[in-house]
Amino acid sequence: MLKGKTALVTGSTSGIGLGIAKALAAQGANIVLNGFGDVEGPKAEVAALGVQVSYHGADMSKPAEITAMIEHAEATFGGVDILVNNAGIQHVARVENFPIEKWDAIIAINMSSAFHATRLALPGMQAKNWGRIINVASVHGLVGSAEKSAYVAAKHGVVGLTKVTALENATTGVTCNAICPGWVLTPLVQKQVDAKAAAQGISNADATRQLLGEKEPSMQFTTPEELGALAVFFCSPAGDNVRGVAWNMDGGWTAQ
Ligand code: NAD
């Protein structure tokens, strides 16, 4: 379905981003990966799906590096047809104790990077009159949780950016939508499970059950594969008139 298209997925060396990159590759899209840590493993996983894969190591907190990444995608594959703004980090602390540098980093990586990548990728999509911008927000783009002020502020911002981008392009073939996952067991969440287990002197399994029990009625993690399937739907012809939604996949978290 996506043969001949190029998808750039930020923060795709791990977790949800890698899951979405693989789901888009399985539909034939060439992939530009981005993110830190091991690159060769994720590259091989995507290449095994029979598509071309490239990598750019832009730090998503740095606008100049985001510009270089979009230019890299244009030089390598002739443009970005599908942009998945996914890179993100977390820090947990009460507002009065929240380190200023963590606030600035979360706002930059989780929110402003989506603005920069979007503004740079849009002209190419508009010229082709086809494009998909998929912002990986969170249930925290819809509701709050204690000790996550920067993350919740950034994710609400991403949902707002999603709506405005969708509206500005509503008469074109360019759509913009957000995905709002509940808990997904990636390194980002494993750290929170480990912290809970250590703080309470409980096992990892008990900490996991507690984490899910507090928020997620299904008592199950959403998977990167499920989120990838939703991204594929947004890219399908059936998604042509899906514009500006914030679609949660959260085991009932926000239904409560
Ligand atoms: P993860 O830690 O597994 O992956 C994060 C990715 O972002 C990695 O590839 C990492 O290298 C990259 N990254 C981090 N900082 C970066 C930077 N400055 N520049 C470029 N890349 C950077 O986490 P994840 O759980 O897969 O999270 C992906 C997205 O999904 C995030 O936006 C997160 O907020 C969101 N999300 C996660 C969950 C969850 O439960 N895991 C739930 C809702 C939303």
Side-chain angles (χ1 to χ4, degrees), residues 16 22-24 29 63 100 103 124 138 152 160 179 201 203 214 236 251-253 256:
I16 294 169
K22 284 166 69 177
L24 297 173
I100 294 167
W103 172 276
S138 166
V152 170
I179 295 179
S203 72
E214 282 165 7
S236 75
W253 183 324
Q256 298 169 95

Side-chain angles (χ1 to χ4, degrees), residues 9-61:
V9 186
T10 71
S12 49
T13 49
S14 167
I16 294 169
L18 181 57
I20 292 178
K22 284 166 69 177
L24 297 173
Q27 296 295 325
N30 293 325
I31 302 292
V32 181
L33 294 172
N34 158 261
F36 302 147
D38 175 37
V39 173
E40 292 313 315
K43 255 179 122 171
E45 283 183 50
V46 174
L49 295 162
V51 298
Q52 292 180 59
V53 54
S54 179
Y55 167 81
H56 192 279
D59 178 337
M60 295 305 290
S61 67

Side-chain angles (χ1 to χ4, degrees), residues 23-199:
L24 297 173
Q27 296 295 325
N30 293 325
I31 302 292
V32 181
L33 294 172
N34 158 261
F36 302 147
D38 175 37
V39 173
E40 292 313 315
K43 255 179 122 171
E45 283 183 50
V46 174
L49 295 162
V51 298
Q52 292 180 59
V53 54
S54 179
Y55 167 81
H56 192 279
D59 178 337
M60 295 305 290
S61 67
K62 306 212 164 89
E65 295 189 20
I66 299 174
T67 302
M69 179 179 67
I70 300 287
E71 285 170 359
H72 167 84
E74 282 164 356
T76 310
F77 292 125
V80 177
D81 304 292
I82 300 163
L83 169 66
V84 182
N85 289 309
N86 166 81
I89 58 168
Q90 176 63 282
H91 185 79
V92 179
R94 290 175 60 86
V95 172
E96 63 272 28
N97 301 327
F98 213 91
I100 294 167
E101 64 282 4
K102 291 283 185 198
W103 172 276
D104 288 344
I106 290 176
I107 296 299
I109 296 166
N110 295 19
M111 185 177 73
S112 301
S113 73
F115 159 69
H116 293 299
T118 297
R119 72 178 171 80
L120 293 163
L122 264 173
M125 294 179 180
Q126 288 160 345
K128 292 183 194 165
N129 198 32
W130 196 92
R132 295 288 187 260
I133 299 170
I134 300 170
N135 293 326
V136 179
S138 166
V139 285
H140 287 116
L142 305 168
V143 297
S145 286
E147 305 198 347
K148 295 187 175 174
S149 54
Y151 189 88
V152 170
K155 295 298 187 180
H156 275 68
V158 166
V159 170
L161 173 67
T162 302
K163 292 175 182 171
V164 174
T165 306
L167 290 174
E168 289 180 1
N169 293 281
T171 59
T172 76
V174 180
T175 72
C176 179
N177 294 290
I179 295 179
C180 298
W183 291 125
V184 186
L185 193 56
T186 65
L188 182 139
V189 164
Q190 189 61 53
K191 277 186 214 150
Q192 294 173 64
V193 172
D194 295 345
K196 209 179 237 312

Side-chain angles (χ1 to χ4, degrees), residues 207-225:
T208 301
R209 261 190 300 278
Q210 214 185 83
L211 187 99
L212 287 168
E214 282 165 7
K215 300 282 187 183
E216 194 142 325
S218 67
M219 292 299 285
Q220 283 180 32
F221 289 105
T222 302
T223 66
E225 290 74 22

